[in-house]
Amino acid sequence: MSNWLIFGLVTNYICIAYVLIKWGNIRCIGETPMKTPVFMAILFTSGWEVGVIMLPMIDFPMFEDLINYPEYGFTNPLAMEFASMGFAIWSGYFITCFYFCVIEPKVGFFKIPLINFINTIVIVVTCSFTIYLFLSNLPIYLPELGDGKNLNAIFYFIVFLVISIAVYSSSSIRYVKILSMASTILFFLLILAMWVASFTIEQIGFIEIFKSINLMGNYFVNLNNFLLPINLYHEFYLFWWYSWYIMIGQFLARFVSGIKTYQLFLMIMIIPSIPLALWFSVIFIYYQNGINTVGIYNYSMMFVGTLFVINSLDSLIRLYTDNLNLTPKRLGKSKYIFLNVLSLSILALMYNFDFLEIEWIGAIVIGLVVSCLIYIVATKRNIVTNIKSSPAENNLDFDKVNAID
């Protein structure tokens, strides 16, 4: 599995270089172009889920334990956490977003029935992993509702409610836009509030944030060391992110708003990484100084993290139901909600009982990417090399958006 992941990552980096060299200056326009601020909000929240909020405090002790994990000795816990979730990780979203925006309309690889079916199953199962991750970490962040270790009926009810809200939200694109904007604003407010609390309430020191940001710089100094797996835990993260690449790229491609390819690359790589870096820097202050986050801090983090879960799920639910033509319009809203809530709940429990592993899904996604490249080289090479722009029909939609402005 490790060699397969390395092969997938290297392929990803080569494809990025090729795309930027060949198509770096063409305009990317999706089938439903959104204004740039809305696209940025969708980018923020569709590419994140609850792990962004919940996992750092769990990861930091491991990344700091050089006795059991000497392979982390070249860096620090903060840089390692950023390497697990930020910057280079997002390069896969760029390449798949560009592909679905510019190349897929000419190639149609993901419209092949078998490929569409496999891709849809990947989306559904990855949705379920997001739910499972949320469920399994609830006792840690809400110990007041249990013993801090085990799940009980309250946690299952919370997850069921989150699934239901996400499915309902996915029934209309306007809910996706509203939730994305709201989540983005609330995340920045959470970062600001917890930073201010660190030096006002907790009396840690105003300059601690700058010390954290300085530690984060170690990531860029050692960027080459983070591009491939460091150990099995880092490999888990990379497989996890790889499992999202196709579906998030496919979803984001719909809303790209006429920016050039190199600008899309910079936007996807840099813009989401800024709040991530700020958040990890702030939460690292709490970890390093042993501040107990039980209470209002945890509640605030859980609220924003729950919104991220809902955002991720509603985006992906909308995507796989469109792929399967199981839309609210076709099924009716009540049947649509019932079927999705039931299927996602069952699949999340399968993760809980170790019937599924996210590494398997990441491996399948690598297989889909490689198959797509082979298909293009074997049957569509001339068509792809002659691509000069996004589909003409998307330009018309883009002009309509601009006309509204």
Side-chain angles (χ1 to χ4, degrees):
M1 288 280 278
S2 297
N3 290 334
W4 186 236
L5 174 61
I6 291 171
F7 174 72
L9 290 168
V10 172
T11 302
N12 176 60
Y13 301 141
I14 292 172
C15 288
I16 290 169
Y18 180 81
V19 164
L20 289 174
I21 292 169
K22 183 172 180 58
W23 293 295
N25 282 305
I26 70 169
R27 282 200 315 172
C28 301
I29 304 173
E31 62 185 41
T32 313
M34 298 286 183
K35 297 176 184 178
T36 300
V38 177
F39 174 72
M40 288 172 59
I42 293 173
L43 169 62
F44 274 138
T45 53
S46 297
W48 291 342
E49 43 80 36
V50 69
V52 169
I53 301 291
M54 300 171 73
L55 289 180
M57 293 291 274
I58 299 172
D59 288 345
F60 287 149
M62 182 189 303
F63 295 152
E64 200 173 44
D65 183 4
L66 299 184
I67 295 176
N68 293 309
Y69 305 98
E71 57 269 32
Y72 297 135
F74 72 95
T75 187
N76 60 72
L78 191 53
M80 191 63 227
E81 188 68 23
F82 189 67
S84 301
M85 297 194 192
F87 199 67
I89 291 287
W90 288 66
S91 63
Y93 292 161
F94 160 72
I95 199 66
T96 53
C97 180
F98 175 86
Y99 171 82
F100 281 102
C101 186
V102 177
I103 299 177
E104 171 65 12
K106 297 285 187 180
V107 171
F109 177 74
F110 285 87
K111 292 181 181 178
I112 298 171
L114 177 61
I115 300 301
N116 180 59
F117 176 76
I118 295 172
N119 184 43
T120 302
I121 294 300
V122 166
I123 297 170
V124 175
V125 175
T126 307
C127 278
S128 305
F129 179 74
T130 298
I131 298 166
Y132 161 72
L133 183 68
F134 179 65
L135 172 64
S136 61
N137 284 286
L138 277 175
I140 299 172
Y141 278 77
L142 296 175
E144 301 91 340
L145 301 181
D147 61 8
K149 297 179 180 179
N150 301 307
L151 295 169
N152 59 40
I154 297 176
F155 296 127
Y156 284 103
F157 175 75
I158 291 171
V159 171
F160 177 79
L161 188 62
V162 166
I163 295 172
S164 301
I165 294 171
V167 172
Y168 183 85
S169 171
S170 71
S171 65
S172 174
I173 192 63
R174 72 176 185 273
Y175 298 139
V176 175
K177 291 191 289 185
I178 292 170
L179 276 171
S180 295
M181 293 296 291
S183 298
T184 301
I185 293 169
L186 286 172
F187 187 41
F188 277 104
L189 288 176
L190 174 67
I191 294 169
L192 178 63
M194 291 197 66
W195 173 51
V196 171
S198 71
F199 62 82
T200 56
I201 298 174
E202 305 298 340
Q203 302 294 313
I204 296 303
F206 179 81
I207 65 169
E208 289 299 311
I209 185 68
F210 303 105
K211 293 180 181 179
S212 291
I213 292 173
N214 184 57
L215 288 173
M216 185 77 69
N218 185 261
Y219 167 79
F220 296 98
V221 172
N222 293 284
L223 180 60
N224 61 303
N225 293 318
F226 296 118
L227 296 179
L228 297 176
I230 295 170
N231 58 14
L232 287 177
Y233 190 60
H234 189 218
E235 182 176 300
F236 157 76
Y237 265 115
L238 293 174
F239 265 124
W240 177 14
W241 284 95
Y242 223 117
S243 71
W244 285 72
Y245 279 169
I246 291 176
M247 57 189 176
I248 294 297
Q250 187 177 0
F251 183 73
L252 290 175
R254 299 178 175 189
F255 309 116
V256 181
S257 53
I259 57 179
K260 292 185 177 181
T261 302
Y262 79 89
Q263 294 171 325
L264 178 65
F265 173 71
L266 293 174
M267 181 178 289
I268 291 178
M269 291 282 285
I270 295 173
I271 292 179
S273 295
I274 293 172
L276 275 180
L278 291 173
W279 169 245
F280 293 157
S281 296
V282 168
I283 200 64
F284 189 68
I285 295 173
Y286 285 73
Y287 166 74
Q288 203 169 36
N289 291 278
I291 299 172
N292 193 336
T293 59
V294 172
I296 188 63
Y297 296 138
N298 272 358
Y299 291 140
S300 300
M301 288 190 286
M302 281 304 306
F303 181 75
V304 175
T306 301
L307 282 182
F308 282 171
V309 173
I310 294 170
N311 265 296
S312 297
L313 290 178
D314 67 7
S315 303
L316 302 182
I317 292 167
R318 187 175 182 85
L319 187 59
Y320 76 67
T321 52
D322 283 350
N323 287 350
L324 294 173
N325 195 24
L326 299 175
T327 61
K329 184 176 181 180
R330 183 183 173 209
L331 296 178
K333 204 165 189 176
S334 298
K335 191 174 181 181
Y336 170 87
I337 291 172
F338 174 77
L339 288 176
N340 280 288
V341 170
L342 179 64
S343 60
L344 289 175
S345 299
I346 291 172
L347 284 169
L349 289 175
M350 290 177 69
Y351 272 111
N352 199 36
F353 293 110
D354 295 328
F355 284 109
L356 292 170
E357 297 288 344
I358 196 62
E359 291 89 341
W360 303 347
I361 309 305
I364 292 171
V365 170
I366 294 172
L368 286 174
V369 170
V370 172
S371 300
C372 182
L373 289 173
I374 294 171
Y375 178 78
I376 290 173
V377 171
T379 65
K380 305 286 184 178
R381 182 172 54 188
N382 291 335
I383 293 174
V384 170
T385 54
N386 290 322
I387 288 175
K388 304 296 183 185
S389 66
S390 296
E393 58 270 22
N394 292 359
N395 288 310
L396 296 175
D397 292 331
F398 178 68
D399 291 338
K400 289 178 183 177
V401 172
N402 284 341
I404 293 172
D405 291 343

